[in-house]
Amino acid sequence: MSIAKPSVPRGTRDFSPEKMKKRNFIFDTLREIFKKYGYEQIETPAMENLSTLLGKYGEEGDKLLFRIVNSGNFVNEDLDAFVNLSKLLSKSPEEDELNTASNRIVNTICEKGLRYDLTVPFARYVVQNRNEITFPFKRFQIQPVWRADRPAKGRYREFYQCDVDVVGSDSLLNEAELIQIIDEAFGKMQVNTVVKVNNRKILTGIADYIGEPERIVDITIAIDKLEKVGWERVQEELFERGLAEEAVKELKSIVQVVEMNNIEKLDFLEKVLFASEVGLAGVKELRTLLGYLELLNVKTAVEIDLTLARGLNYYTGAIFEVKALDVEMGSICGGGRYDNLTGIFGMPGVSGVGISFGADRIFDVLNQLDKYPQDSTQGTQVLFINFGENEEKYCLPLVSKIRAAGINAELFPGSVKMKKQMAYADAKKIPYVALVGDNEMQQNVISLKNMQSGEQTTITLEELISKLKG
Amino acid sequence: MSIAKPSVPRGTRDFSPEKMKKRNFIFDTLREIFKKYGYEQIETPAMENLSTLLGKYGEEGDKLLFRIVNSGNFVNEDLDAFVNLSKLLSKSPEEDELNTASNRIVNTICEKGLRYDLTVPFARYVVQNRNEITFPFKRFQIQPVWRADRPAKGRYREFYQCDVDVVGSDSLLNEAELIQIIDEAFGKMQVNTVVKVNNRKILTGIADYIGEPERIVDITIAIDKLEKVGWERVQEELFERGLAEEAVKELKSIVQVVEMNNIEKLDFLEKVLFASEVGLAGVKELRTLLGYLELLNVKTAVEIDLTLARGLNYYTGAIFEVKALDVEMGSICGGGRYDNLTGIFGMPGVSGVGISFGADRIFDVLNQLDKYPQDSTQGTQVLFINFGENEEKYCLPLVSKIRAAGINAELFPGSVKMKKQMAYADAKKIPYVALVGDNEMQQNVISLKNMQSGEQTTITLEELISKLKG
């Protein structure tokens, strides 16, 4: 067997015990809150049929799908594709022709791909299980997704998404509840955030108002870039996309209402969009949502941001995005309302709203802020030093009793040098070390060393348990 | 966009909220116990380089790996492979030739595969991170694995493994601790089990004793089948494998000591294997292990089973297997000691011992026994009926207070028909429904309906909270 220098594939990562503890703090916090609001967990397979995935993420997305080779002798499955390729190769093929041929072969030998997000699998799940599901269906899902993207700082080929959605209800209570969840989650993680909200109906109203009702997609894509590139570039792009000068001018007067507060914005829009039924509906929805949030005493700042469009075309109502205030970082959570998620699988008319927490970015934010609660990263609480066969036999039942009390405890396996055992406690950041030698055994006590202060006390087993449980 | 009838790939599954709650009970139970014994969680990527995976699971295993197509135009990567294939296709190729050609193409266009188990990625992790790891390294890992096996009842192409291992320590305390973990885990899950133990050194000693020291692998493979096919078939196979008649006869006299208890077995073996140093070492190890278990008051029956070999060749010491007593099911947990796990990646001399819990089989066992603790499968505890705008506004802060007390609570989103709201509570198995109409609002109380008994009581918010917290 040849000896390979082991490594992980580009863009993927191992998670060490220390990282796992921190990540689990994030996942556990979210999971607990999702449940408190009545959301239930589901899981879907890592692999989906390519027929489920293809065409759902645009042309670019299709290219980023990881495809899995069918088992068995696949050459037989579509001999024509290979014959075609072989003919091609006997000439001097163009790059284009080769691409087409290799795509056809991939389509022949691959029927499955790794999931690209949790949204499409969720839509597939809802349609496939429609008869077992009671609507409104409040579900959450915390699983990795895979994208064959070019790896870069903060961009991985495998990363976790934490999605929480409710489908089959168009009540704005759901929108309010999701913002409550954001408020509670980041409150618990001690991250100061601002929630930016917008409404697609307002964007549609604006498109109507500036006389370019068909260009809503162009407009939102352009607006989405406002913060990044500034109005000059956005304006340029809008011209390039063929918007009239008058329309662009009117657009500027609307989207640039940044100095106003939420209520002023809504009042302003209500006046400007008086002729657009859908625009006014959007304004009303935002008013209702803000009303709920006041009633619910949501502490996080919520800010209407008309430049928020999140690129995605499928939002039909509310649009959300969460930014951390004290750390330089892209959005750490986002989502919105969509009215036709399941339509792609032949089940129209199911309205839903959801958000997705970006676990990897939140992990980075928490690491920068260094705000993990101490107990969330605590592993073993006490290590018993192993002095030899007799001491080992004496300690084993003690350790069992300590564990029975719900305390994480270890007895070092084997009576190696004291120094090595202490180094082990240090490396694992175990806060207490218990030393039980002849004296302690005779007096039925434990010498307990505080690894941080170095202080050593002699206590009974019961005292040790109540100390570590406290 | 064409409308596909949605489905999951063959051999994979969706997990509904109900199934997830039950599975999470298993995972949470294991996780909590692993931590209590000082094991720390790691995660590795779903994809590994094929160079990491190939050759580790035998020829059959290599075929069962799911391979992932490289991104980009792969035809360019090994034009020769395709030219070769195209030449082949222009003749009438033999099945064999086609297989070789398609294998070469797969090897050309795939550099990555999905992990097949958690053991090889763990070995890769240890070697790759050897400088950051403090040994002994006690780790656990709960992640899915993928195998391109033919799907069948109870056999899936995606399933979870729950592995717990300690590497870098040869103390038998570790073996004892793993059996404690088994004892505690199945105790908590209320599954009656028997732990079968064996020791590879005893098997080696037996091979020495019967004069076939080189045939240990043949012998263990045969012995492994004893329970399934009976001695006659095993004997036949041993002859087929070329063992001498005398050797087979002596083997029978040893492995068929089923009537003896553990101590009798060890005494018997100590006599029979007196001339085999390694055999006696195995006997001594089992004695030490049983001594630890007595000291630790392990409740699960532990039974020495010389027929236990678990097919795998890499065990060098203890071998474990757990069977459920009240349910027909294969082993639900198993493992053993291996002395050269990391050797395949160029890091020899690291001894380890570990076990793997089969989450899917345990799930099936618990479903058959129907022994999930009620609180483990409890989702939302109380649903507030939505009677309309005023009631909604009144209820929202109440629901917030209930959630703040750590109780899972919902307000139905929207004031749809009462019947539909009650059906929702029924379907989600929500035990209490809260009704707050005009009367209740005036009197500042809540009408609480017990969904199981149908009983309805009028209580205050504080009473409701203390009732549901209890």
Side-chain angles (χ1 to χ4, degrees):
Chain A
M1 203 175 288
S2 76
I3 287 169
K5 187 171 176 291
S7 63
V8 296
R10 242 164 36 100
T12 71
R13 295 161 291 171
D14 285 324
F15 294 107
S16 65
E18 205 189 330
K19 283 187 186 137
M20 279 305 295
K21 280 181 206 135
K22 292 177 173 178
R23 288 170 66 85
N24 281 337
F25 167 67
I26 298 171
F27 294 138
D28 292 345
T29 300
L30 293 176
R31 200 173 357 238
E32 196 195 315
I33 293 171
F34 295 162
K35 280 191 209 161
K36 223 197 290 185
Y37 284 80
Y39 291 81
E40 300 186 298
Q41 190 169 14
I42 68 163
E43 281 189 6
T44 61
M47 297 187 265
E48 292 277 354
N49 292 320
L50 280 174
S51 57
T52 299
L53 300 176
L54 285 168
K56 310 303 189 299
Y57 308 106
E59 223 174 290
E60 201 49 43
D62 282 354
K63 280 189 200 149
L64 298 184
L65 294 174
F66 278 112
R67 289 151 202 252
I68 296 161
V69 177
N70 303 339
S71 350
N73 178 343
F74 53 77
V75 174
N76 279 329
E77 285 178 29
D78 186 359
L79 269 175
D80 283 354
F82 289 93
V83 170
N84 188 40
L85 179 65
S86 69
K87 278 186 195 147
L88 200 63
L89 293 174
S90 63
K91 301 177 274 176
S92 304
E94 300 282 324
E95 185 74 23
D96 270 12
E97 292 177 298
L98 265 184
N99 275 332
T100 309
S102 69
N103 281 341
R104 173 151 173 207
I105 291 208
V106 169
N107 290 338
T108 302
I109 67 176
C110 299
E111 282 167 358
K112 295 178 288 289
L114 293 179
R115 71 173 158 254
Y116 179 90
D117 70 0
L118 301 179
T119 306
V120 168
F122 174 50
R124 195 263 311 141
Y125 177 96
V126 169
V127 175
Q128 193 177 330
N129 299 285
R130 61 210 288 179
N131 295 325
E132 283 79 52
I133 293 171
T134 306
F135 295 95
F137 182 38
K138 298 170 86 170
R139 90 85 172 77
F140 74 92
Q141 192 168 354
I142 300 178
Q143 292 191 277
V145 301
W146 295 270
R147 295 183 186 177
D149 228 328
R150 192 189 303 270
K153 191 172 149 34
R155 187 164 66 220
Y156 304 103
R157 290 184 150 189
E158 174 180 67
F159 57 96
Y160 269 80
Q161 291 193 334
C162 311
D163 280 22
V164 53
D165 291 78
V166 47
V167 293
S169 163
D170 54 13
S171 167
L172 291 166
L173 256 187
N174 300 302
E175 273 85 342
E177 196 166 271
L178 291 173
I179 293 181
Q180 269 189 292
I181 287 175
I182 290 168
D183 181 54
E184 195 167 333
F186 291 113
K188 196 143 189 194
M189 297 185 211
Q190 299 187 64
V191 181
N192 294 319
T193 58
V194 57
V195 180
K196 301 193 170 188
V197 299
N198 196 5
N199 194 298
R200 172 63 175 258
K201 289 173 183 163
I202 293 179
L203 293 175
T204 307
I206 292 172
D208 284 351
Y209 167 75
I210 65 170
E212 299 271 12
E214 301 301 314
R215 309 304 292 273
I216 174 80
V217 174
D218 286 338
I219 293 170
T220 55
I221 289 175
I223 297 177
D224 198 25
K225 297 183 185 162
L226 184 60
E227 206 174 336
K228 256 192 212 148
V229 302
W231 177 253
E232 290 305 309
R233 269 296 296 121
V234 168
Q235 182 174 264
E236 217 170 285
E237 180 164 348
L238 290 170
F239 287 142
E240 276 166 23
R241 284 168 181 268
L243 263 78
E245 207 175 315
E246 189 57 27
V248 173
K249 214 171 125 190
E250 283 179 313
L251 186 60
K252 188 184 177 189
S253 75
I254 294 178
V255 300
Q256 299 277 59
V257 292
V258 277
E259 309 82 26
M260 301 183 189
N261 68 28
N262 288 341
I263 297 303
E264 289 167 348
K265 277 175 188 160
L266 290 176
D267 291 346
F268 172 79
L269 287 167
E270 200 166 69
K271 274 182 210 137
V272 176
L273 302 179
F274 70 95
S276 165
E277 199 179 325
V278 60
L280 288 179
V283 173
K284 197 179 166 203
E285 284 185 10
L286 273 185
R287 269 199 212 283
T288 305
L289 178 56
L290 292 180
Y292 279 134
L293 298 180
E294 214 176 303
L295 198 64
L296 289 167
N297 201 17
V298 164
K299 284 170 206 74
T300 305
V302 175
E303 190 185 283
I304 295 174
D305 182 351
L306 294 181
T307 71
L308 179 65
R310 289 185 63 79
L312 286 164
N313 298 329
Y314 60 74
Y315 293 130
T316 52
I319 306 173
F320 309 118
E321 192 164 275
V322 182
K323 292 218 165 197
L325 288 175
D326 309 320
V327 178
E328 197 63 47
M329 181 71 66
S331 79
I332 52 178
C333 176
R337 179 170 287 277
Y338 40 82
D339 277 342
N340 203 19
L341 181 68
T342 56
I344 49 175
F345 297 114
M347 185 180 170
V350 181
S351 185
V353 58
I355 52 175
S356 182
F357 287 82
D360 288 282
R361 283 189 177 173
I362 296 171
F363 179 68
D364 288 346
V365 167
L366 289 185
N367 280 336
Q368 284 184 53
L369 297 173
D370 198 18
K371 273 188 178 168
Y372 291 97
Q374 215 218 317
D375 64 343
S376 77
T377 54
Q378 184 59 65
T380 298
Q381 292 161 274
V382 57
L383 171 74
F384 276 70
I385 298 294
N386 193 327
F387 285 110
E389 216 174 305
N390 284 334
E391 291 84 349
E392 186 180 278
K393 279 198 178 125
Y394 181 88
C395 287
L396 273 175
L398 303 189
V399 175
S400 285
K401 276 180 194 151
I402 292 168
R403 286 179 183 144
I407 296 162
N408 303 343
E410 289 182 61
L411 167 61
F412 196 91
S415 53
V416 302
K417 279 191 194 130
M418 176 81 167
K419 199 178 153 190
K420 203 185 159 195
Q421 299 190 44
M422 295 302 275
Y424 176 85
D426 256 342
K428 278 184 97 166
K429 298 200 175 73
I430 300 174
Y432 292 99
V433 162
L435 304 119
V436 180
D438 278 342
N439 283 341
E440 285 85 358
M441 290 197 291
Q442 269 166 32
Q443 293 169 44
N444 207 14
V445 293
I446 295 162
S447 288
L448 191 71
K449 182 174 173 140
N450 181 321
M451 290 295 279
Q452 195 150 25
S453 67
E455 193 194 354
Q456 196 164 315
T457 49
T458 305
I459 57 178
T460 65
L461 176 67
E462 291 66 34
E463 286 166 343
L464 185 150
I465 288 175
S466 77
K467 183 186 181 82
L468 294 187
K469 282 213 82 158
Chain B
M1 204 176 291
S2 77
I3 287 169
K5 186 172 177 288
S7 63
V8 295
R10 239 162 42 98
T12 71
R13 296 161 289 172
D14 284 325
F15 294 105
S16 66
E18 206 189 331
K19 284 188 184 135
M20 279 305 294
K21 279 181 207 137
K22 293 178 174 180
R23 289 169 66 84
N24 280 338
F25 167 66
I26 298 171
F27 294 138
D28 291 345
T29 300
L30 292 176
R31 201 173 355 240
E32 196 194 314
I33 294 171
F34 295 161
K35 279 191 211 162
K36 225 197 289 184
Y37 284 80
Y39 291 82
E40 300 188 297
Q41 190 168 15
I42 68 162
E43 280 188 6
T44 62
M47 297 187 266
E48 292 276 354
N49 292 319
L50 280 173
S51 56
T52 300
L53 300 176
L54 285 170
K56 309 303 188 299
Y57 308 105
E59 224 175 286
E60 201 47 44
D62 283 356
K63 281 188 199 150
L64 299 183
L65 293 174
F66 277 113
R67 288 150 201 252
I68 295 161
V69 178
N70 303 340
S71 349
N73 178 345
F74 54 78
V75 174
N76 279 331
E77 285 177 30
D78 185 0
L79 269 175
D80 284 351
F82 289 94
V83 169
N84 189 38
L85 179 65
S86 70
K87 279 185 194 147
L88 201 64
L89 293 172
S90 62
K91 302 177 274 176
S92 305
E94 300 283 323
E95 185 74 24
D96 269 12
E97 293 177 297
L98 265 184
N99 274 333
T100 308
S102 67
N103 281 341
R104 172 152 175 205
I105 290 206
V106 169
N107 290 337
T108 302
I109 66 176
C110 299
E111 282 167 0
K112 295 178 288 290
L114 294 177
R115 71 172 158 254
Y116 179 90
D117 70 1
L118 302 179
T119 306
V120 167
F122 174 51
R124 195 262 312 140
Y125 177 96
V126 169
V127 176
Q128 194 177 330
N129 299 285
R130 60 210 289 177
N131 295 326
E132 282 80 52
I133 294 172
T134 306
F135 295 94
F137 182 37
K138 299 170 85 171
R139 90 86 172 76
F140 74 91
Q141 193 169 351
I142 300 178
Q143 291 192 278
V145 301
W146 295 271
R147 296 183 186 176
D149 228 329
R150 191 189 302 271
K153 190 171 150 35
R155 187 164 66 220
Y156 305 103
R157 290 183 150 191
E158 174 181 66
F159 57 97
Y160 270 80
Q161 292 193 334
C162 312
D163 279 22
V164 53
D165 290 78
V166 47
V167 293
S169 162
D170 53 14
S171 166
L172 291 166
L173 257 186
N174 300 302
E175 274 85 342
E177 195 166 271
L178 291 173
I179 293 182
Q180 270 189 291
I181 286 176
I182 290 169
D183 182 54
E184 194 166 333
F186 291 113
K188 196 143 190 193
M189 296 184 209
Q190 298 188 62
V191 181
N192 294 320
T193 57
V194 58
V195 180
K196 301 193 171 188
V197 298
N198 196 6
N199 193 298
R200 173 62 175 260
K201 289 173 183 162
I202 293 180
L203 293 175
T204 307
I206 293 172
D208 284 350
Y209 167 73
I210 66 170
E212 298 272 14
E214 302 301 313
R215 308 306 291 273
I216 174 81
V217 175
D218 286 338
I219 294 171
T220 55
I221 288 174
I223 297 178
D224 200 24
K225 295 182 185 162
L226 185 61
E227 207 175 336
K228 255 191 210 149
V229 302
W231 176 254
E232 290 305 310
R233 270 294 297 121
V234 168
Q235 182 174 263
E236 218 172 285
E237 180 165 348
L238 291 171
F239 288 140
E240 276 165 24
R241 285 168 181 267
L243 263 78
E245 208 177 314
E246 188 58 26
V248 172
K249 215 172 124 190
E250 283 179 316
L251 186 61
K252 188 184 176 189
S253 74
I254 294 177
V255 300
Q256 299 278 59
V257 292
V258 278
E259 308 82 24
M260 300 182 190
N261 68 29
N262 288 341
I263 297 302
E264 288 166 349
K265 276 175 189 159
L266 291 176
D267 292 345
F268 172 79
L269 288 167
E270 200 166 69
K271 275 182 212 138
V272 176
L273 302 179
F274 70 96
S276 165
E277 200 180 325
V278 59
L280 288 180
V283 173
K284 196 179 164 202
E285 284 186 8
L286 273 185
R287 268 198 214 284
T288 306
L289 177 58
L290 292 180
Y292 279 136
L293 298 179
E294 213 177 303
L295 197 65
L296 290 167
N297 201 16
V298 164
K299 285 172 206 70
T300 305
V302 175
E303 191 184 284
I304 295 175
D305 182 351
L306 294 182
T307 70
L308 179 65
R310 290 185 63 80
L312 286 164
N313 298 330
Y314 61 74
Y315 292 130
T316 51
I319 307 173
F320 308 119
E321 191 163 277
V322 182
K323 292 216 164 197
L325 288 176
D326 309 320
V327 178
E328 197 65 45
M329 180 72 64
S331 78
I332 53 179
C333 177
R337 179 171 286 276
Y338 40 82
D339 277 342
N340 202 20
L341 181 68
T342 55
I344 48 176
F345 297 116
M347 185 182 172
V350 181
S351 185
V353 57
I355 52 175
S356 181
F357 287 82
D360 288 282
R361 284 189 176 172
I362 296 172
F363 179 68
D364 288 346
V365 167
L366 288 185
N367 280 336
Q368 283 184 53
L369 297 173
D370 198 19
K371 272 187 177 168
Y372 291 97
Q374 215 218 317
D375 64 342
S376 76
T377 54
Q378 184 60 64
T380 298
Q381 292 161 273
V382 57
L383 172 74
F384 275 71
I385 298 295
N386 193 327
F387 285 111
E389 215 173 308
N390 284 335
E391 291 86 349
E392 187 179 277
K393 278 197 180 128
Y394 181 88
C395 287
L396 273 175
L398 302 189
V399 175
S400 285
K401 277 179 192 151
I402 292 169
R403 286 178 183 145
I407 295 163
N408 304 341
E410 290 182 59
L411 168 61
F412 196 92
S415 53
V416 302
K417 276 189 195 133
M418 176 80 168
K419 200 178 151 187
K420 203 186 159 194
Q421 299 190 45
M422 294 303 274
Y424 177 84
D426 256 343
K428 276 184 99 165
K429 298 199 174 70
I430 299 173
Y432 291 99
V433 162
L435 304 118
V436 180
D438 279 342
N439 282 341
E440 284 85 358
M441 290 197 291
Q442 269 166 32
Q443 292 168 45
N444 206 15
V445 291
I446 295 162
S447 288
L448 190 71
K449 184 176 171 137
N450 180 323
M451 290 296 279
Q452 193 151 25
S453 68
E455 193 195 356
Q456 196 163 315
T457 50
T458 305
I459 57 178
T460 65
L461 176 67
E462 290 68 32
E463 286 166 341
L464 185 148
I465 288 174
S466 76
K467 184 186 181 82
L468 294 187
K469 282 214 81 160

